Amino acid sequence: MGETPHILVVDDHRDIRDLLARYLAKNGLRVSTAEDGAAMRRLLKGAAVDLVVLDVMMPGEDGLSLCRFLRESTDTPVILLTAMAEDTDRVVGLEIGADDYVTKPFNPRELLARIKAVLRRAHALPPSRETAGDGEVVFDRWKLRLAQRELVGEDGVSVALSTGEFRLLSALLERPGMVLSREQLLDITRGRQAVLFDRSVDNQVSRLRRKIERDPANPQLIKTVWGGGYTFAGKVERP
């Protein structure tokens, strides 16, 4: 990320796009806008974007579909703009990989605070050594199919992963040999739902070890780093 973060606002309402563009630019951010998914894709092809603010309720290709596209093709953080009453949109948005959400009507100051918080979390992580997106990641006797979010054993049998387990495993596989703290992994797996002293990362690591380790009691893939967090110690390949 450069010195000035580049924010893309995607909303079909011109007045909202213009309002946010002026406010965010006034507060030191570089801002581009798009009125729909086609315009968003064109802009992403020609410019590096650090975060996307994405309206859920848009005609044609809605924000949830666009969020799913972004998660499958990039690791760019996403903040959803959702209607106050649409709990389902917020839940689905978080499940498919949105980093945060703001409900309408909203105060631009709150959105700015959430943008800064998501950018801090995203760039506190060590840089990925592997390219996120589609395709497969191979490790030990497993294949992780990223687009399908599917873990497949050498016998061809799929092993179910929860959304949190998939995010956790993906983060570790993208940074083999790097130590990731519990706080960093918690941000990845829980986002804004995370709370202080949350032990869900440890629980998810335990569940993942039972699924992928040959001997979960003596793990050789996901190693505990005392006082630090966890690291993926196995060999990672992309066919």
Side-chain angles (χ1 to χ4, degrees):
M1 185 178 71
E3 292 184 1
T4 302
H6 185 193
I7 310 302
L8 172 58
V9 176
V10 184
D11 196 302
D12 61 308
H13 291 96
R14 182 175 180 179
D15 53 346
I16 294 178
R17 295 198 309 271
D18 292 346
L19 170 67
L20 288 180
R22 288 195 300 269
Y23 182 81
L24 296 177
K26 182 180 178 181
N27 283 275
L29 299 172
R30 186 158 61 97
V31 186
S32 297
T33 62
E35 69 274 13
D36 56 22
M40 180 191 81
R41 288 182 173 88
R42 286 195 299 270
L43 196 145
L44 289 173
K45 286 182 179 179
V49 171
D50 296 300
L51 183 144
V52 178
V53 177
L54 185 57
D55 183 34
V56 170
M57 295 297 294
M58 292 192 294
E61 194 172 13
D62 66 19
L64 294 178
S65 297
L66 294 175
C67 182
R68 185 176 292 108
F69 162 77
L70 288 168
R71 281 288 68 81
E72 291 175 352
S73 58
T74 77
D75 57 1
T76 305
V78 175
I79 294 179
L80 295 178
L81 302 180
T82 73
M84 180 70 77
E86 296 299 328
D87 288 338
T88 301
D89 287 348
R90 295 196 291 274
V91 172
V92 172
L94 291 172
E95 287 180 344
I96 63 178
D99 295 86
D100 204 344
Y101 62 83
V102 174
T103 55
K104 291 182 176 181
F106 60 88
N107 186 325
R109 185 176 178 181
E110 178 189 0
L111 177 60
L112 176 63
R114 294 197 180 279
I115 287 173
K116 290 181 176 179
V118 170
L119 288 174
R120 280 196 304 270
R121 291 204 304 262
H123 296 286
L125 284 171
S128 172
R129 288 178 177 164
E130 304 292 336
T131 303
D134 295 335
E136 295 181 342
V137 180
V138 177
F139 63 97
D140 195 52
R141 55 208 168 99
W142 302 97
K143 289 182 182 178
L144 183 64
R145 295 173 177 165
L146 297 172
Q148 297 83 7
R149 299 194 170 197
E150 183 180 36
L151 181 65
V152 181
E154 58 188 354
D155 57 1
V157 176
S158 298
V159 175
L161 294 177
S162 69
T163 297
E165 290 167 354
F166 172 80
R167 291 180 182 175
L168 176 62
L169 182 57
S170 296
L172 291 167
L173 293 176
E174 287 170 11
R175 300 167 180 86
M178 296 183 184
V179 178
L180 298 177
S181 70
R182 286 179 174 83
E183 290 75 17
Q184 290 170 330
L185 292 171
L186 187 60
D187 280 335
I188 294 170
T189 57
R190 296 287 300 278
R192 69 169 289 169
Q193 296 176 319
V195 296
L196 195 60
F197 306 126
D198 192 321
R199 308 304 294 180
S200 63
V201 167
D202 300 303
N203 294 333
Q204 286 172 351
V205 167
S206 295
R207 289 196 295 270
L208 268 179
R209 282 172 170 165
R210 289 196 293 270
K211 292 178 179 181
I212 69 174
E213 296 279 2
R214 297 175 189 272
D215 179 7
N218 182 29
Q220 299 301 306
L221 298 176
I222 303 177
K223 296 270 195 179
T224 300
V225 180
W226 299 112
Y230 296 98
T231 186
F232 191 84
K235 183 180 180 181
V236 176
E237 298 177 335
R238 281 181 174 267

